[in-house]
């Protein structure tokens, strides 16, 4: 009896010490993640405009988003398109450029700088530059295409070309991925390549069986962060759509994002549009939760796949 | 845990979250009890940004402060509606007490959400009979369901600004009054260059700056909502007629795709490179500001102004147009509402203040007295717009609980028509009606 008491108090002290060390994270988690998330769930079941008290309205917001809100499904399709196509292109292009530069013998520094610099351009400025370059009537890209007898797309004014134009913009700013891939590629042990060469492995076989397994965690990192970025894609499509639509500001006109034909509309734009322009926090919360669920689903899927990739590498 | 236990726990958690979230929600003051004679500093936010406009505001505020020595006004300009909305929600000492916004379309939202205080009690307390001060149309678009949460602060009338020199070169002697003549004139003024244009008579697509479906619908005298409050786009044949006529004009001027490509070569609407200034378009549907902006840009041609054409069968109503404008209100969260009212009253109802402001920024005055004031500087170009504003059949878009979402829904449908994606306009309008009714029911 007398011996149990000091042990219990020791355990309590240890638990308190652990809690004290964990508390900064726990407080941060509770304030910046748990509370906003629970609030979002709560508000998604209310009619709430940010001024009056929230009023419980059951599943109204949810059914409105999925059945009556005409912008939701176009935005969902665009977001998924960007996640699948833009992320794939960015990773492939970033890896390709990284590979190319690690192979170059002279002038590596110049090429690294050239490919990295665009990444430093602010997103809005970069988008404005691309809208100018890809202007269907006066842009240098179409002038060049016309000069060599190729068809001239409408780019940001054509619903079929607006997302490829956004992808081109994303590829132009691929400098961040290039640097990460270069670091990973330079880390691949040289002796593995030498051994493979001795075994008669060609370039593709070396890439497939040595490079790819070695850098698979980095590819996974690039894909996961790319998916999250694509899910949060807001400024570039909004600016491109607004400029191409001829709406920059001034007389107080309303503007619904997505020009042309809702092709540049994304889910984060809907969250902003519903919550801060239409005064409908409740419905904005539903879209935010859909976005959250999508991000979680994609990440979970990729993390499962990551296990497979690393396994293959090992 | 048994299923009922889980349900109870879930309900309790939801209730706890509700209580927490509700506790964190701000609420505006219901009544104004502040002393208007006390020394206060008001925060006033507005959207004007050009140096001449900012100067005009400062001069008006200086006159107000002189007349009200106890009230100081802290002015913040170049504020967008998005920033204003956030600040109104956030509240606090830094939030605006008085706000002016260019977006007339937001009035329904502002009034319905009680973001702005109802000005009716203030008007009554001050003995201001609003029906004798403001034109009827302006009073309609500044209130919602009897809640006069904003008042007009100058307004805009929409008409036609045209290149007189291009008219003369094409042998056109007067601005078109009917839609059929308008179509002929627009075609006559269009000059091709390769597979594009050197000049179009008019950029008729609904992305062509101020060429909006709402501007054209006003020429057809369209009514957006029925007596039952339901959307009336399919019920009023004016909408289908307007859309058909506009689509016909788009086709006659080269078709949607070709016109949109040309439109993308245009400069910014608010810059000196506006296509009307550069001679890329010969006629522009625009507000009263365009003629003076073109003159400031130093255009090498003579400028004319006229009302927008009307459909042929309504020729007798020529002279009418669409009107909208800037609005001014008091934040419902403000603790200085009586003092704020003094500023709103001065800016919106004082004839000298309204006329001085209208002269300075070339907008149409918003009170009946200011419209008739001998001090109003009236150029021949500006007079056209004053006449449109005074025309008894000029109209605006009504305030609704969803703000201007119903207009955007209609606009979205109109994009489909002009592009040729819509084959059955009446059926499409009926579907648009359903969408508008759903959105408005949800916003209430």
């Amino acid at each position: 009896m007398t011996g149990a008491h000091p042990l219990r108090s020791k355990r309590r002290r240890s638990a308190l010490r652990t809690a004290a060390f964990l508390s900064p994270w726990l407080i941060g988690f509770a304030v910046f993640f748990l509370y906003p998330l629970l609030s979002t769930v709560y508000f998604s079941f209310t009619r709430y405009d940010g001024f009056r008290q929230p009023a419980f309205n059951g599943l109204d917001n949810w059914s409105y988003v999925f059945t009556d809100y005409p912008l939701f499904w176009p935005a969902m399709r665009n977001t998924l398109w960007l996640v699948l196509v833009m992320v794939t292109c960015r990773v492939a292009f970033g890896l390709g450029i990284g590979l190319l530069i690690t192979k170059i013998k002279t002038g590596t520094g110049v090429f690294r700088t050239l490919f990295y610099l665009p990444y430093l351009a602010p997103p809005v400025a970069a988008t404005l530059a691309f809208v100018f370059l890809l202007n269907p009537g006066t842009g240098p890209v179409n002038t060049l295409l016309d000069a060599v007898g190729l068809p001239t797309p409408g780019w940001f004014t054509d619903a079929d070309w607006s997302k490829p134009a956004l992808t081109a913009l994303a590829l132009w700013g691929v400098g961040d991925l290039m640097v990460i891939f270069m670091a990973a590629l330079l880390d691949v042990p040289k002796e593995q390549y030498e051994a493979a060469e001795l075994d008669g492995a060609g370039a593709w076989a070396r890439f497939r069986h040595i490079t790819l397994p070695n850098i698979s965690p980095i590819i996974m990192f690039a894909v996961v962060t790319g998916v999250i970025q694509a899910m949060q894609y807001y400024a570039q499509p909004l600016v491109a759509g607004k400029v191409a639509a001829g709406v920059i500001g001034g007389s107080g006109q309303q503007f619904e994002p997505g020009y042309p034909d809702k092709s540049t509309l994304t889910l984060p734009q809907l969250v902003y549009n519903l919550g801060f322009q239409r005064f409908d926090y409740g419905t904005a919360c539903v879209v935010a939760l859909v976005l959250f669920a999508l991000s979680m689903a994609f990440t979970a899927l990729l993390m499962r796949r990551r296990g497979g990739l690393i396994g293959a590498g090992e | 845990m048994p299923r009922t236990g889980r349900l109870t726990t879930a309900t309790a958690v939801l209730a706890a979250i509700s209580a927490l979230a509700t506790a964190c929600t701000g609420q505006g003051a219901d009544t104004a009890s502040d002393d208007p004679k006390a020394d206060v500093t008001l925060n006033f936010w507005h959207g004007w940004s050009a140096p001449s406009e900012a100067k005009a505001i400062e001069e008006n505020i200086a006159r107000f402060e002189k007349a009200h020595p106890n009230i100081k006004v802290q002015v913040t300009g170049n504020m967008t509606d998005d920033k204003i909305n956030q600040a109104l929600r956030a509240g606090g000492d830094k939030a605006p007490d008085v706000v002016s916004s260019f977006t007339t379309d937001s009035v329904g939202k502002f009034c319905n959400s009680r973001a702005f205080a109802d000005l009716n009690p203030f008007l009554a307390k001050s003995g201001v009979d609003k029906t004798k001060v403001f034109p009827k149309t302006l009073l309609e678009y500044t209130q919602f369901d009897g809640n006069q949460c904003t008042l007009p602060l100058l307004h805009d009338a929409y008409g036609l600004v045209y290149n007189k020199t291009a008219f003369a070169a094409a042998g056109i002697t007067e601005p078109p009054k009917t839609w059929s003549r308008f179509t002929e004139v627009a075609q006559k003024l269009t000059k091709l260059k390769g597979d594009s244009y050197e000049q179009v008579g008019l950029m008729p697509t609904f992305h062509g700056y101020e060429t909006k479906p709402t501007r054209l619908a006003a020429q057809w005298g369209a009514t957006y909502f029925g007596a039952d409050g339901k959307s009336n786009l399919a019920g009023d044949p004016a909408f289908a007629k307007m859309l058909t006529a506009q689509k016909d004009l788009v086709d006659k001027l080269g078709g949607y795709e070709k016109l949109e490509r040309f439109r993308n070569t245009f400069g910014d609407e608010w810059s000196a490179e506006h296509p009307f200034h550069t001679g890329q378009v010969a006629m522009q549907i625009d507000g009263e500001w365009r003629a003076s902006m073109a003159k400031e840009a130093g255009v090498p041609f003579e400028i004319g102004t006229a009302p927008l054409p009307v459909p042929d069968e309504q020729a007798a109503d020529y002279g009418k147009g669409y009107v909208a404008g800037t609005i001014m209100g008091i934040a419902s969260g403000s603790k200085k509402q009586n003092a704020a009212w003094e500023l709103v009253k001065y800016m919106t109802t004082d004839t000298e203040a309204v006329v001085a402001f209208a002269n300075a920024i070339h907008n149409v005055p918003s009170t009946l007295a200011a419209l008739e004031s001998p001090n109003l500087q009236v150029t021949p170009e500006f007079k056209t717009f004053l006449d449109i504003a005074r025309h008894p059949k000029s109209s605006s878009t009504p305030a609704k609980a969803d703000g201007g979402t119903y207009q955007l829904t209609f606009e979205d449908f109109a994009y489909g028509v002009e592009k040729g994606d819509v084959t059955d306009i009446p059926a499409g309008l009926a579907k648009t009606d359903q969408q508008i009714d759903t959105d408005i029911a949800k916003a209430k």
Side-chain angles (χ1 to χ4, degrees), chain B residues 120-297:
Chain B
N120 280 320
F122 293 98
L123 286 159
K125 206 157 51 178
S126 302
V128 178
D129 182 351
K130 61 184 180 184
T131 59
K132 289 187 177 150
V133 176
F134 301 103
K136 189 170 164 279
T137 316
L138 275 63
L139 275 180
E140 280 168 9
Y141 75 61
T142 51
Q143 64 91 35
F144 172 70
D145 267 1
N147 177 357
Q148 187 78 49
C149 78
T150 66
L151 285 176
L153 173 63
L154 303 191
H155 76 303
D156 302 314
Y158 290 83
L160 192 69
V161 185
Y162 62 96
N163 182 331
K164 266 189 177 176
T165 312
F167 266 49
I172 305 160
T173 52
E174 60 170 15
K177 292 180 178 167
T178 60
W179 189 265
S180 59
R181 178 70 186 141
F182 184 52
T183 308
E184 283 168 29
V185 167
Q187 284 178 278
K188 225 172 175 179
L189 291 164
T190 300
K191 296 178 195 167
L192 297 172
K193 185 179 162 191
D195 58 358
S196 185
Y197 305 88
E198 182 187 330
Q199 172 185 281
V200 284
L202 171 98
M203 178 46 68
T205 65
F206 287 132
H207 283 293
Y209 298 139
E210 302 299 331
T211 312
K212 295 275 167 199
T214 45
R215 320 279 195 257
L216 295 189
Q219 299 311 109
W220 265 261
T223 309
Y224 288 83
F225 295 92
D228 57 355
K230 300 273 185 197
S231 182
N232 191 42
L233 303 181
D236 185 345
F239 289 101
K241 284 182 184 171
M242 179 278 280
L243 290 169
T244 308
Q246 187 266 358
K247 167 72 177 144
D248 174 59
L249 180 57
V250 168
D251 290 343
K252 282 184 173 153
L253 293 183
Y256 175 81
E257 200 182 317
K258 190 172 165 179
L259 285 163
E260 276 294 272
R261 276 189 178 233
F262 185 55
R263 189 185 61 73
N264 259 267
T265 66
F266 292 175
D268 172 23
E269 182 177 8
W270 307 103
S271 75
E273 283 74 44
H274 185 284
F276 178 70
H277 304 177
T278 57
Q280 286 169 291
V281 299
M283 294 188 289
Q284 182 70 34
I285 294 172
D286 225 318
E288 68 282 349
W289 57 79
R290 181 55 54 200
S292 57
M293 281 184 83
K295 280 184 179 172
E296 280 168 24

Side-chain angles (χ1 to χ4, degrees), chain A residues 181-193 206 210-216:
Chain A
F181 279 128
M182 274 176 59
L185 289 166
L186 292 171
D187 262 0
V188 180
K190 293 240 179 338
E191 54 271 26
Q192 290 185 14
Y193 288 120
R206 289 200 300 277
I210 298 171
T211 312
L212 215 50
N214 271 296
I215 65 165
S216 66

